[in-house]
Amino acid sequence: MNSSQPSAGSACPYSGKPLADLSLTDPLIQAYPTSFYQTLRSEEPVHFDAKLGMWLVSRYEDIVTLLRDPDTYSDKHGYEAQYASGYFEEFKEILEREGGGFFSDAIKSDPPYHTRIRKLLEKAFTAHRVKALEPGITKIVADLADKFAEKAANGNVVDGVKEFAIPLTIAVICEQMGIDQYNGEKISRWSVAITAQIGRMQNRESMIANAKEICDLQNFIIAQMKDREQSPREDMISDLVHASTEDGEKLTFAEAVSLIRALIIAGNDTTATAIGNLLFILATKPELAQELYDNVEDSRYMNRFVEELLRYAPPVRGLAKMTTCETELGGQKLPKGAHMLVLYASGNADETRFECPQQFDTGRGNLGSHVAFGVGIHRCIGASLARMEINVAAKELIKRVKNIKLAIPMDELKYQPTVATHTIESLPMLLERRV
Amino acid sequence: MSEIKIIFIETDGTEKIVENAKLGATMMDVARANGIDGILGDCGGGCACATCHVYVDPAWQAVVGNPDEIEEMTLDMAGEVQANSRLSCQLVLNSEMDGIKVTVAPLV
């Protein structure tokens, strides 16, 4: 059994049912998807999920083929068809009325436009730039880990997601963006509201609530931008407000809002999800927690540990693309306009690619070929920052705590209802402080 | 001299010679601009993805030097790593590299 995705026992929604009766819109499949993915890969690797209205791409090879062909599989059209699905016009009106405007995501686009936007951002996220941030981030994480360990040391149940993973990533991104005064709970709500737009599980009521949160976020961003326009500082919001492309063109106001929004949110929810997964694994695999502690000063081991964590439990489950012409993928004919969901998590569990995929093995020869960050032109731009945050979180925490356990039975864990990520919502745990 | 020559050997053995590689550019940029198979450079030169991995011809190793710690860590994930492995995004072209020969590493 894969302990990161425990089977739901007798409630298992897919045992014995034909694929045609199953859908990724089922919250139980979303929470425990391992067998579903395996069935997809072995029976119908490019499968039309009728309830979702999308083609699920589950095999490693097909995922890479698709992601390496952005002309045939449009990111822009796939994303737009997914965004606020079912309520888009009303959503857009709310943002225009109360949120300063509707700003489409500049980075969720196709070449050649995408190439121009992406180039602007790349320099800020190189592994070398990120390395320079490590001491500052270590300090933030160490403070948070101290508080977390101290609360737990008094015998209290602590929430690994709400009291460690989420505040950690929010503190880091605010430092990056130069936001000194912030309300962590608000940023967390904004993140959920944005991610929900590609999660496909919104009803009208939650769409309206989420749209209001996004208005609040956009008004906050616009105020921050105005501040940096007048007095530029050494931070990423200033960089974007004053950025110009190689040909000297400036970003438009709408582009800048959308990019700042993307940077605040994209790296936040996903990295918090990864750190939540880290804590879950430490709580359920004590031998691995011990191995991590024994190797905590070995930077090669730590890097491999983080990479295997990302392969084993990738935060992003599925993102959308759309075919721009008739094509064929994995033996399946696809019409023009086919809405695709790329199942990164299934690719990482593909047994033809990764031997014993359910085993957490930092010694894998092909560790770096996982698709948790995507592949091709849309590969995660914040990968180095995410890796470093997870690395520092693992290190600072394991140095302080031991005997990490779940405080509730595994099958009572709640996962966010969404097709886009595989995210533990709340992780009650018990742990002891190392003396 | 503002341009140098680079000899790329693709994974299937095809030799491609670029005569006008600009000094100061990275080898990865030159490879992408000239359609060298197997040099993808997904992360745009950020030393984050290892999709621009090459083997430097032993005769040229002293000229390019060794990877730094960050590049070594990224290479460690790449697979098929050899003593002469480098990420071509980290190789900034200088005049001493005129005529350098590299082999594109297979993507794992």
Side-chain angles (χ1 to χ4, degrees):
Chain A
M1 187 177 78
N2 167 15
S3 57
S4 88
Q5 294 164 348
S7 87
S10 57
C12 179
Y14 34 75
S15 53
K17 280 193 190 170
L19 210 43
D21 292 347
L22 305 173
S23 169
L24 194 57
T25 57
D26 180 341
L28 208 49
I29 291 185
Q30 288 173 7
Y32 307 111
T34 307
S35 313
F36 178 64
Y37 294 159
Q38 201 168 26
T39 308
L40 286 173
R41 288 194 302 272
S42 63
E43 287 183 19
E44 227 181 295
V46 179
H47 164 76
F48 188 70
D49 183 328
K51 234 171 146 182
L52 185 63
M54 296 180 86
W55 295 86
L56 306 179
V57 184
S58 55
R59 276 197 319 211
Y60 182 91
E61 203 186 319
D62 296 334
I63 289 171
V64 171
T65 302
L66 179 158
L67 295 175
R68 290 231 173 268
D69 185 0
D71 294 335
T72 306
Y73 300 95
S74 161
D75 190 68
K76 179 181 168 66
H77 294 122
Y79 185 74
E80 285 176 358
Q82 195 78 322
Y83 207 82
S85 179
Y87 310 99
F88 181 72
E89 287 308 320
E90 192 179 359
F91 173 85
K92 188 169 171 236
E93 273 167 33
I94 299 172
L95 264 67
E96 282 168 347
R97 198 171 61 231
E98 298 169 34
F102 174 78
F103 309 106
S104 63
D105 269 288
I107 199 68
K108 300 301 284 175
S109 54
D110 299 323
Y113 176 79
H114 172 265
T115 317
R116 169 183 160 242
I117 297 291
R118 169 101 186 186
K119 253 198 150 24
L120 266 179
L121 302 175
E122 275 166 352
K123 284 201 180 70
F125 288 101
T126 67
H128 291 82
R129 274 288 289 272
V130 164
K131 187 75 186 168
L133 304 172
E134 193 172 318
I137 289 178
T138 300
K139 195 179 171 306
I140 294 174
V141 176
D143 286 349
L144 200 62
D146 275 335
K147 280 184 208 145
F148 188 67
E150 191 180 321
K151 184 175 173 190
N154 298 330
N156 295 311
V157 172
V158 285
D159 192 317
V161 167
K162 292 181 177 165
E163 294 180 85
F164 188 70
I166 291 178
L168 189 162
T169 57
I170 288 176
V172 170
I173 200 71
C174 286
E175 163 117 342
Q176 286 276 92
M177 304 300 284
I179 303 168
D180 334 301
Q181 303 290 323
Y182 64 91
N183 177 333
E185 266 174 45
K186 250 192 187 179
I187 297 181
S188 177
R189 288 206 306 274
W190 293 341
S191 302
V192 172
I194 291 274
T195 315
Q197 301 318 314
I198 55 167
R200 294 293 298 274
M201 301 298 283
Q202 266 188 144
N203 56 29
R204 181 166 174 269
E205 196 187 343
S206 56
M207 179 280 291
I208 291 171
N210 287 331
K212 304 250 176 196
E213 291 289 352
I214 297 170
C215 288
D216 198 23
L217 164 65
Q218 291 185 175
N219 291 325
F220 173 80
I221 290 171
I222 292 166
Q224 293 280 328
M225 287 170 65
K226 281 196 178 132
D227 172 64
R228 303 305 192 286
E229 263 161 26
Q230 283 156 11
S231 42
R233 288 159 37 181
E234 285 288 316
D235 62 46
M236 231 182 241
I237 295 182
S238 296
D239 289 352
L240 284 170
V241 166
H242 299 279
S244 50
T245 55
E246 280 176 337
D247 45 24
E249 237 180 281
K250 279 198 60 141
L251 284 174
T252 65
F253 174 73
E255 285 169 342
V257 176
S258 90
L259 292 176
I260 295 168
R261 186 182 59 199
L263 292 179
I264 295 179
I265 303 306
N268 188 4
D269 210 42
T270 44
T271 314
T273 294
I275 294 173
N277 292 341
L278 162 74
L279 295 184
F280 175 79
I281 286 169
L282 295 180
T284 52
K285 292 182 180 298
E287 70 297 343
L288 187 64
Q290 185 60 44
E291 186 185 291
L292 177 67
Y293 181 67
D294 293 341
N295 291 282
V296 74
E297 299 302 338
D298 175 350
S299 58
R300 180 169 185 261
Y301 174 88
M302 289 303 292
N303 286 317
R304 296 186 76 88
F305 177 90
V306 170
E307 221 56 32
E308 176 66 350
L309 175 73
L310 289 163
R311 184 203 65 82
Y312 182 83
V316 178
R317 177 212 308 280
L319 297 179
K321 309 283 168 184
M322 188 174 274
T323 54
T324 56
C325 56
E326 258 184 50
T327 188
E328 196 177 312
L329 182 67
Q332 175 65 52
K333 279 201 163 51
L334 296 166
K336 180 184 173 182
H339 203 194
M340 319 295 294
L341 192 71
V342 183
L343 295 175
Y344 305 88
S346 177
N348 277 4
D350 190 332
E351 41 288 281
T352 64
R353 181 71 195 178
F354 299 102
E355 209 177 306
C356 291
Q358 302 310 336
Q359 199 159 341
F360 193 105
D361 176 8
T362 58
R364 288 179 190 281
N366 60 356
L367 202 56
S369 66
H370 70 75
V371 291
F373 289 124
V375 163
I377 63 167
H378 289 280
R379 186 188 281 256
C380 175
I381 198 163
S384 293
L385 179 60
R387 284 182 178 122
M388 189 259 274
E389 282 183 61
I390 300 164
N391 196 320
V392 172
K395 194 181 205 170
E396 295 305 317
L397 197 69
I398 205 70
K399 283 201 289 197
R400 286 169 174 78
V401 305
K402 59 182 179 179
N403 289 336
I404 309 166
K405 292 190 182 85
L406 294 182
I408 58 171
M410 214 187 277
D411 54 10
E412 285 177 22
L413 284 178
K414 293 265 185 303
Y415 290 83
Q416 269 180 30
T418 171
V419 302
T421 64
H422 188 237
T423 303
I424 303 169
E425 231 165 32
S426 164
L427 188 63
M429 49 203 306
L430 291 163
L431 36 93
E432 288 170 30
R433 195 158 56 174
R434 290 184 199 272
V435 278
Chain B
M1 183 173 59
S2 61
E3 290 177 343
I4 59 167
K5 181 168 98 170
I6 304 178
I7 304 166
F8 290 98
I9 315 288
E10 294 178 338
T11 47
D12 66 356
T14 308
E15 185 176 286
K16 282 190 183 162
I17 300 176
V18 178
E19 299 274 4
N20 57 348
K22 286 205 167 36
L23 295 180
T26 70
M27 190 184 284
M28 183 273 285
D29 283 331
V30 171
R32 286 214 300 192
N34 288 280
I36 305 298
D37 264 1
I39 300 290
L40 300 162
D42 279 0
C43 76
C47 200
C49 72
T51 61
C52 66
H53 177 191
V54 295
Y55 305 125
V56 176
D57 186 282
W60 291 89
Q61 259 187 286
V63 171
V64 299
N66 294 321
D68 67 14
E69 191 195 338
I70 294 171
E71 185 183 337
E72 237 171 39
M73 289 300 175
T74 307
L75 272 171
D76 184 44
M77 309 301 169
E80 306 282 335
V81 179
Q82 301 176 5
N84 57 344
S85 283
R86 290 298 307 262
L87 295 178
S88 60
C89 72
Q90 300 303 303
L91 299 178
V92 179
L93 303 179
N94 63 43
S95 53
E96 285 174 46
M97 295 181 190
D98 192 20
I100 191 172
K101 191 172 170 184
V102 297
T103 302
V104 178
L107 284 169
V108 288

